[in-house]
Amino acid sequence: MSREERSARLMKAAFDSGGDTNTVLAFFVEQMSTEQSAQLKAALRKGRRS
């Protein structure tokens, strides 16, 4: 398993066990830098095309 896969699994586990997923996600996104937010948006766009 790659470092990136492990990180993604840890993030999913945090979302699954963190209570209200919408609130967890909102707090997570608020902590992102502008660059990280742009990367997330690009990944979401890419995922929708797949």
Side-chain angles (χ1 to χ4, degrees):
M1 174 183 324
S2 72
R3 179 177 163 185
E4 291 79 8
E5 289 171 316
R6 177 154 170 69
S7 294
R9 288 177 191 225
L10 288 169
M11 290 167 59
K12 180 162 180 354
F15 288 137
D16 290 346
S17 65
D20 178 41
T21 303
N22 289 330
T23 303
V24 172
L25 187 56
F27 283 127
F28 178 72
V29 171
E30 287 174 5
Q31 296 178 53
M32 290 180 155
S33 68
T34 303
E35 181 180 343
Q36 290 168 328
S37 177
Q39 290 170 334
L40 176 60
K41 288 176 187 175
L44 290 171
R45 283 192 299 272
K46 182 180 177 184
R48 289 186 183 138
R49 286 185 256 154
S50 298

